[in-house]
Amino acid sequence: MLKQVQHDTVRTDWTRDEIAALFDLPFTELLFLAATVHRANHPPDQIQLCTLLSIKTGGCPEDCGYCSQSVKADSGVQATKLMEVQQVLQRAAQAKDAGSQRFCMGAAWRNPKDRDMPAIVEIVKGVRAMGLETCMTLGMLTSRQADMLAEAGLDYYNHNIDTGPEYYERVITTRRYEDRLDTLANVRAAGINVCSGGIVGMGETREDRVGFIHTLATLPQHPESVPVNALVPVKGTVLGDMLADTPLAKIDDIEFVRTVAVARITMPLSMVRLSAGRESMSEATQALCFLAGANSIFTGDKLLTAPNAGDDSDAALFAKLGLTALQGEEPIRACRVAEAAE
C-alpha cells in the first residue's frame, strides 16, 4: 500500500512495494504527484544546463553491453589518450560561454591509474577557476583517489549503477554491483557530491526499474544528481546488436516518463537529469519529462560518443516551453550549506 507522499519530506526508507505502487499509478495521477513534489522543491521553469566532454575515449576493458567504448565492442570507436589539460580547459570555456553551469568530464577507464591523477587534479582546478561546477566520471575510485579529487575541489563524481541489482549481470560481467556501490561510498566519504543514475530500455522489466530506483532512493544520502538515460542502441555493442529491429530497441515513451516521475517523487531534492537518448525523443516526450520533474539536461551535439539534441534545438524547445537556464545553487546542496551553518 502506498503511503501518503509528503512533498517536503526526504526519505531513504522506501520499500520496493511502495516504489512499484508509484509506477502503477494512473499516468496522469503520477505526473500530477511528481509535478507537485517538484514544485515544492525546485523552480518549475528552470533547467540546469550541463556539458559533457570525453577526455579519454575508447579502449575500456569493461564489457558493459551498452557501451561503444568497450574493447569488447565492434563499434568503430578509436581509443585515444587522455586529452591535454589546456585542450580540456578550452572546451570548458566554450561550454561556459554557451551557458552551461556544470562541466562534466568522462574517461573510458575501468579505474584511473595513479599516474593519471596529477593531470586530472590540474584539470579540476582549472575548470573550477573558471567558475564552472566540475564533475568527473573515471570508473571505480579508491578512497585515496577520491580524497585527491576532493582536495582538488571536485564538485561531483558520476558513477552510475546502470540498472537494478537483479538485471545487472545481464549487462556487465567485469564489475560487480557492489563495486559500484563501494565507489559511491568512497566518493561520499571524501565529501564529494554524488551523481548516479542509470539506463532504461536495455531489455529490463519494470520490476528491474523498480530495483534501480530503490537502490538510489535508499542510499544513506540521495545522489545530488540522478541522470536517467534511454539506451542508445549502438551497432557493434552487445545490447545494440541484440535489440536491433526488435520492439525492445526503444523504451516506450510513457514508461520512460514514469521512470523520471518516480525518481522525482522518491528523491525530491535531487537534480533529475534527462540524459542520453534525448535526441530521439519528441518535443512532447521531453516536455512530459520536464513536467514529471526532470530539471537538468546535457547541452551540445554529443555525449561522449553518442549524439545529443544540440544547442539550437534545445534553445528552440526552451523558448516554446517557456523554460530558462537554472540560476543559483541546486536545492539539495543549498539545504546542506544552510544546515552546516546552523
Side-chain angles (χ1 to χ4, degrees):
M1 191 73 176
L2 181 63
K3 299 176 184 177
Q4 182 68 32
V5 174
Q6 299 296 319
H7 303 149
D8 58 352
T9 301
V10 176
R11 294 177 49 195
T12 58
D13 62 348
W14 290 93
T15 67
R16 283 196 176 217
D17 286 345
E18 286 178 312
I19 294 173
L22 288 173
F23 268 100
D24 289 340
L25 285 173
F27 185 66
T28 53
E29 184 67 19
L30 176 61
L31 252 62
F32 178 80
L33 181 56
T36 303
V37 170
H38 183 64
R39 286 170 174 271
N41 297 285
H42 302 267
D45 60 346
Q46 293 186 21
I47 305 294
Q48 182 188 55
L49 304 183
C50 309
T51 298
L52 177 61
L53 173 68
S54 177
I55 60 173
K56 191 278 174 191
T57 303
C60 181
E62 303 276 22
D63 67 354
C64 304
Y66 53 80
C67 186
S68 62
Q69 300 194 68
S70 168
V71 294
K72 310 293 184 183
D74 185 20
S75 59
V77 172
Q78 299 298 313
T80 66
K81 295 181 180 180
L82 181 66
M83 288 177 65
E84 296 293 332
V85 173
Q86 195 56 41
Q87 287 181 294
V88 177
L89 298 184
Q90 288 172 353
R91 297 290 293 273
Q94 292 169 2
K96 184 178 181 180
D97 290 344
S100 280
Q101 183 184 55
R102 184 182 304 174
F103 193 63
C104 308
M105 296 155 278
W109 287 323
R110 174 179 170 81
N111 52 274
K113 303 292 191 297
D114 287 343
R115 65 173 181 267
D116 301 313
M117 294 304 295
I120 294 296
V121 164
E122 190 175 347
I123 288 170
V124 171
K125 289 180 177 179
V127 175
R128 284 196 92 237
M130 296 179 186
L132 284 166
E133 289 184 347
T134 53
C135 181
M136 285 277 184
T137 179
L138 312 170
M140 294 184 290
L141 286 183
T142 64
S143 57
R144 179 176 176 274
Q145 290 171 334
D147 287 341
M148 290 177 68
L149 292 173
E151 186 177 345
L154 184 69
D155 296 291
Y156 284 83
Y157 193 80
N158 167 260
H159 198 62
N160 291 337
I161 60 169
D162 286 343
T163 186
E166 291 80 13
Y167 197 69
Y168 183 82
E169 289 185 358
R170 297 184 62 179
V171 179
I172 302 154
T173 66
T174 51
R175 189 188 310 186
R176 300 175 307 130
Y177 206 67
E178 291 74 15
D179 292 331
R180 293 189 180 266
L181 297 177
D182 287 346
T183 287
L184 294 182
N186 289 338
V187 168
R188 183 65 79 192
I192 302 171
N193 295 293
V194 170
C195 174
S196 186
I199 307 170
V200 296
M202 297 191 293
E204 79 283 351
T205 64
R206 177 180 285 185
E207 185 177 355
D208 295 315
R209 288 187 281 278
V210 168
F212 159 59
I213 298 292
H214 179 261
T215 298
L216 295 174
T218 57
L219 289 171
Q221 288 180 280
H222 292 163
E224 283 78 3
S225 289
V226 179
V228 181
N229 300 272
L231 177 70
V232 179
V234 177
K235 185 178 180 181
T237 63
V238 172
L239 288 175
D241 292 344
M242 182 176 74
L243 300 180
D245 302 321
T246 75
L248 295 175
K250 185 179 186 300
I251 189 171
D252 176 78
D253 287 344
I254 298 299
E255 185 69 12
F256 184 85
V257 177
R258 281 186 182 276
T259 307
V260 170
V262 174
R264 166 53 63 220
I265 294 166
T266 56
M267 293 171 280
L269 292 181
S270 301
M271 304 299 291
V272 177
R273 183 176 302 127
L274 184 57
S275 299
R278 193 165 60 86
E279 83 291 340
S280 63
M281 294 178 189
S282 68
E283 290 185 338
T285 297
Q286 292 183 67
L288 285 173
C289 287
F290 296 140
L291 178 63
N295 60 341
S296 179
I297 63 169
F298 281 122
T299 62
D301 57 7
K302 196 172 185 180
L303 299 181
L304 298 181
T305 61
N308 194 36
D311 293 338
D312 291 344
S313 176
D314 288 338
L317 178 60
F318 275 30
K320 187 177 294 188
L321 299 179
L323 299 174
T324 59
L326 176 68
Q327 303 296 318
E329 193 78 275
E330 300 95 323
I332 196 168
R333 293 181 64 186
C335 285
R336 289 177 183 161
V337 169
E339 289 171 358
E342 291 179 355

